[in-house]
Amino acid sequence: MRIAVVGAGGIGGYYGALLARAGHDVVFIARGPHLEARRRRGLTVRTAAGETTVPVTAVAETAGVKPVELVLFCVKSYDTLEAARAGSLLADPEGRTLLTRSCLEVAAVAAAEGAPLGATAVDSVIGQAATLPRQWRSSMARDLEDGRRLEVDALSGAVVRRGLKYGVPTPVHQAIVASLSVHQPATLDTGRAAVSSIVRA
């Protein structure tokens, strides 16, 4: 799986290194000392099982990064909006693909739970999203900007839990939970579990 990690500090570096060590194609988008350190020394992961240094690919800009399947968004909360605006990873067509996959995961989980969505449900959501102005932000994005508690556990977290219950893969929502959990300690364990399940996949 090809994965981008936006932010290569403690959280992004740790999870990104685990994913790279598991054989995934991981690219880090970083800046300043983190960028130089990743380029020179790679990433060293220390766990109870021992210490491992993983060579990694690190870049300063997203412009030259090829399309990815997952994005771990691990910047500090006060850098989130700047990173999102700068990241072509989240712009069309990649952003549209990510939204479509997230909707398809919801539809698959709903079907597994015996509550199938209409045949046009996913297309309807994508169509509505396409009409929103570029400056529009969801309520959770505004909560994140203002430092308020997030609903990620009740939204994407619920999709992940039900997916695990029914054996339905939910990699996009796992990535959402893992990325946003770094901004909300109450969901940190859920985020770790989500990334662990990706590593084991």
Side-chain angles (χ1 to χ4, degrees):
M1 182 179 292
R2 184 164 174 78
I3 302 169
V5 179
V6 183
I11 297 296
Y14 176 75
Y15 288 136
L18 290 182
L19 291 164
R21 190 175 65 179
H24 296 282
D25 183 3
V26 180
V27 58
F28 291 86
I29 293 90
R31 62 185 181 184
H34 286 156
L35 174 62
E36 295 305 316
R38 302 302 169 254
R39 285 175 168 172
R40 288 199 312 269
R41 301 191 298 270
L43 276 163
T44 299
V45 179
R46 298 182 181 90
T47 67
E51 179 178 304
T52 305
T53 298
V54 182
V56 298
T57 300
V59 299
E61 302 292 339
T62 61
V65 177
K66 297 178 181 178
V68 299
E69 298 169 81
L70 291 177
V71 177
L72 298 187
F73 208 61
C74 302
V75 299
K76 297 289 188 182
S77 58
Y78 44 75
D79 288 332
T80 300
L81 293 180
E82 177 185 349
R85 292 190 184 106
S88 61
L89 287 171
L90 305 180
D92 293 336
E94 290 84 0
R96 187 183 185 92
T97 299
L98 193 66
L99 176 59
T100 300
R101 289 180 176 175
S102 71
C103 291
L104 289 172
E105 289 178 8
V106 172
V109 169
E113 197 158 54
L117 304 179
T120 62
V122 172
D123 289 340
S124 177
V125 171
I126 301 303
Q128 290 177 19
T131 67
L132 296 172
R134 282 192 170 272
Q135 65 270 24
W136 180 87
R137 300 195 313 281
S138 69
S139 61
M140 195 187 305
R142 293 193 295 271
D143 288 341
L144 180 62
E145 180 182 5
D146 295 337
R148 294 191 293 264
R149 186 178 178 183
L150 305 181
E151 296 178 292
V152 62
D153 188 58
L155 299 176
S156 288
V159 176
V160 171
R161 288 191 296 275
R162 284 170 170 78
L164 291 172
K165 177 181 178 181
Y166 295 110
V168 177
T170 57
V172 173
H173 286 277
Q174 287 178 334
I176 291 171
V177 173
S179 299
L180 291 180
S181 67
V182 301
H183 302 289
Q184 185 160 301
T187 62
L188 187 56
D189 289 340
T190 305
R192 286 173 176 160
V195 172
S196 295
S197 67
I198 297 172
V199 171
R200 292 193 300 269

